[in-house]
Amino acid sequence: MKVGFLIVLFAALPSLPDTDIAVSSPAKTKAPASRINTLLDNAGISIGTFYTLYPTKEDLFFETITNIQRRLTEKMIDINRNRQTKEGFAQSMKKLFREYDSKPFLYNFNTPDFQSFVTKLPEEMIKKIKFDSFDSFRQIIYAANLRLKMEEAQAYGILSALLSTIRAKDTLSVTCDCFAVFDFMVDSIVADIFE
């Protein structure tokens, strides 16, 4: 029931103004409670149904983040299973970067709405999100059938830092093609972190 509910709920997102993050769907002039009401109205879902499935908005936020992580991990694993090479891994990173570019809520953690949700999440939920992210990295490496030249944590940190360059996209785009820059960096880094 919850998966279907999420599909209906997120189908309503495009009709909301100034949508920056899928979970909170901020319309900059409205308070958070009215934004969730607008989202539910657009999806044709009653507030009672929402709170039956999700005791709090943070529960929806957590489930959404974990579903997004799972879906992205599945895409990355699929690419790497089908192309078990350094080049295949680099290609999956390039696809992930472009996915981030098309959905700013995946990386724009500094919005007031995102910070509001995160600060209300219980510590165990935050730990799960972080652990799932690192575990996804392990699964992707395993699917790629590649061996690291360094500690897992260091490789994870390097690739996470590389993906964070999406935040500089607007600055980079003034002087160069940010995708070409990322592609060059990922090709160079992948060659250095895998045997």
Side-chain angles (χ1 to χ4, degrees):
M1 166 97 176
K2 280 188 173 183
V3 173
F5 177 81
L6 284 172
I7 291 168
V8 171
L9 190 60
F10 291 116
L13 290 175
S15 60
L16 292 173
D18 300 323
T19 301
D20 292 330
I21 183 166
V23 175
S24 60
S25 302
K28 293 180 171 75
T29 60
K30 295 183 178 181
S34 64
R35 285 195 298 262
I36 197 71
N37 289 339
T38 302
L39 178 61
L40 293 172
D41 286 345
N42 288 345
I45 297 168
S46 74
I47 194 119
T49 299
F50 174 80
Y51 284 110
T52 298
L53 296 171
Y54 300 98
T56 68
K57 288 181 275 188
E58 291 74 29
D59 291 319
L60 171 64
F61 175 76
F62 175 74
E63 186 166 329
T64 301
I65 291 294
T66 56
N67 282 337
I68 290 169
Q69 278 184 325
R70 181 187 43 75
R71 185 181 54 80
L72 290 174
T73 299
E74 288 169 358
K75 280 184 177 181
M76 298 277 290
I77 287 171
D78 188 50
I79 292 167
N80 283 285
R81 273 195 188 127
N82 293 322
R83 194 166 174 212
Q84 295 182 328
T85 62
K86 291 180 195 179
E87 294 78 16
F89 185 86
Q91 184 63 35
S92 71
M93 291 293 294
K94 293 170 188 177
K95 286 187 182 277
L96 182 61
F97 188 79
R98 283 152 178 84
E99 183 82 9
Y100 278 18
D101 178 59
S102 71
K103 296 171 182 68
F105 67 85
L106 292 175
Y107 67 85
N108 192 358
F109 307 130
N110 295 322
T111 65
D113 288 309
F114 187 91
Q115 290 301 313
S116 173
F117 278 112
V118 169
T119 58
K120 293 176 185 174
L121 287 179
E123 186 63 31
E124 65 270 7
M125 285 183 175
I126 293 171
K127 285 180 182 177
K128 181 173 177 4
I129 291 169
K130 289 178 182 177
F131 174 78
D132 286 355
S133 182
F134 191 79
D135 189 54
S136 294
F137 172 70
R138 284 184 175 141
Q139 292 175 45
I140 294 162
I141 298 294
Y142 181 79
N145 199 28
L146 296 172
R147 292 178 48 98
L148 290 167
K149 291 181 183 177
M150 60 187 63
E151 296 289 325
E152 269 186 342
Q154 184 179 10
Y156 175 78
I158 290 167
L159 293 171
S160 294
L162 178 62
L163 284 169
S164 74
T165 61
I166 190 69
R167 294 184 193 135
K169 180 185 115 178
D170 292 338
T171 303
L172 289 171
S173 294
V174 171
T175 58
C176 61
D177 178 350
C178 71
F179 297 108
V181 169
F182 180 84
D183 292 353
F184 175 82
M185 290 190 311
V186 79
D187 288 336
S188 300
I189 289 171
V190 165
D192 286 340
I193 65 171
F194 293 109
E195 292 179 359

